[in-house]
Amino acid sequence: MQTGQQNHEETLLDRAAEGDEGAFAVLYRRYQGQIQAFCARMLNGNGDSEDATQQVFMEAWRSLHRFERRSLFSTWLTRIAIHTCLSLLRKTNKIKLHREDSRVHPDRYTEFLWRDSEPGLEQKFHQRAQRKAVDEILNRLSEKKKTVIMMSDVQGMTAPEIAGALQIPDATVRTRLFHARREFIHAIHSNSHYKELLGD
């Protein structure tokens, strides 16, 4: 961003942080297309990118006072978009947790549901317990690892698709996925409660 534009954006951010909706509207118009395109890539047809974009900007408006400007405003918006899209995916999708030997046997994975199903009460409680355990393990991962494992094992995106969405090299995606899945499996095996719920 050129210096003049950057100074203008800083002014808009100052005004928006003080409650100037008109200033925030200018920022919205500037970045709305970029964020919607990013949400569309992340959701990959599994959600409404326009609705996700609205949620991103509503969260940005509510949280603007916490934006410390250590990064570009667009980068901060993208981080909000990642969390927003992952949250939407978790409400409606499954996770296929690939095992460590999945590169040799790609059909070996364990599938979990995040949403509750209609069958009996006991099964509902079990699924809720599974979902809680998966959430707890995912929240232990770094943001970068959590993002790629959600995009891959929840959304079903390929490594090249994830690389395109996050604008990082394909090899970086594969490395993060390998370590994320290994940490996930280790967390299950090192906790008897998780192992009972999620299996071997």
Side-chain angles (χ1 to χ4, degrees):
M1 186 183 297
Q2 297 177 352
T3 304
Q5 288 180 318
Q6 190 169 1
N7 289 339
H8 182 239
E9 183 162 298
E10 289 293 324
T11 301
L12 290 171
L13 286 168
D14 287 339
R15 288 167 49 194
E18 293 171 358
D20 187 334
E21 294 182 10
F24 190 78
V26 175
L27 293 168
Y28 172 82
R29 289 193 295 271
R30 180 175 294 177
Y31 292 108
Q32 182 268 339
Q34 176 183 328
I35 295 301
Q36 184 165 341
F38 178 83
C39 289
R41 290 196 300 271
M42 274 207 69
L43 294 171
N44 199 29
N46 291 316
D48 187 333
S49 61
E50 186 174 345
D51 180 61
T53 302
Q54 295 301 316
Q55 291 187 44
V56 170
F57 280 96
M58 284 191 293
E59 178 59 29
W61 172 249
R62 287 194 296 264
S63 305
L64 196 56
H65 63 285
R66 295 201 297 268
F67 176 42
E68 298 178 351
R69 308 191 194 184
R70 295 178 183 174
S71 62
L72 295 174
F73 181 60
S74 58
T75 303
W76 185 65
L77 284 174
T78 300
R79 284 202 295 267
I80 296 175
I82 288 172
H83 289 294
T84 300
C85 290
L86 292 182
S87 178
L88 290 172
L89 289 168
R90 288 166 70 174
K91 290 178 181 177
T92 57
N93 283 270
K94 303 174 182 179
I95 180 170
K96 289 185 176 181
L97 177 62
H98 293 254
R99 300 186 181 280
E100 286 185 288
D101 60 356
S102 61
R103 285 181 293 181
V104 180
H105 302 286
D107 58 332
R108 289 188 182 176
Y109 57 80
T110 303
E111 185 172 274
F112 307 108
L113 283 172
W114 255 292
R115 62 178 180 271
D116 297 329
S117 60
E118 290 305 316
L121 188 61
E122 183 177 345
Q123 185 175 351
K124 276 188 168 185
F125 279 128
H126 182 70
Q127 288 182 354
R128 286 177 183 172
Q130 278 192 328
R131 181 175 60 190
K132 185 174 183 291
V134 170
D135 281 343
E136 288 174 355
I137 297 172
L138 285 174
N139 287 333
R140 294 179 184 178
L141 301 178
S142 69
E143 182 176 328
K144 291 178 179 179
K145 291 175 186 174
K146 179 180 176 180
T147 297
V148 294
I149 199 173
M150 289 286 292
M151 294 176 78
S152 173
D153 293 357
V154 175
Q155 191 177 354
M157 293 177 71
T158 64
E161 288 171 338
I162 297 169
L166 298 181
Q167 298 183 335
I168 57 177
D170 186 289
T172 302
V173 172
R174 294 180 190 278
T175 299
R176 289 181 188 174
L177 270 175
F178 172 77
H179 289 293
R181 288 168 177 164
R182 187 172 63 176
E183 286 182 30
F184 199 109
I185 294 293
H186 177 73
I188 293 175
H189 284 275
S190 62
N191 184 300
S192 58
H193 175 63
Y194 293 156
K195 195 169 183 179
E196 182 181 353
L197 281 171
L198 304 177
D200 294 331

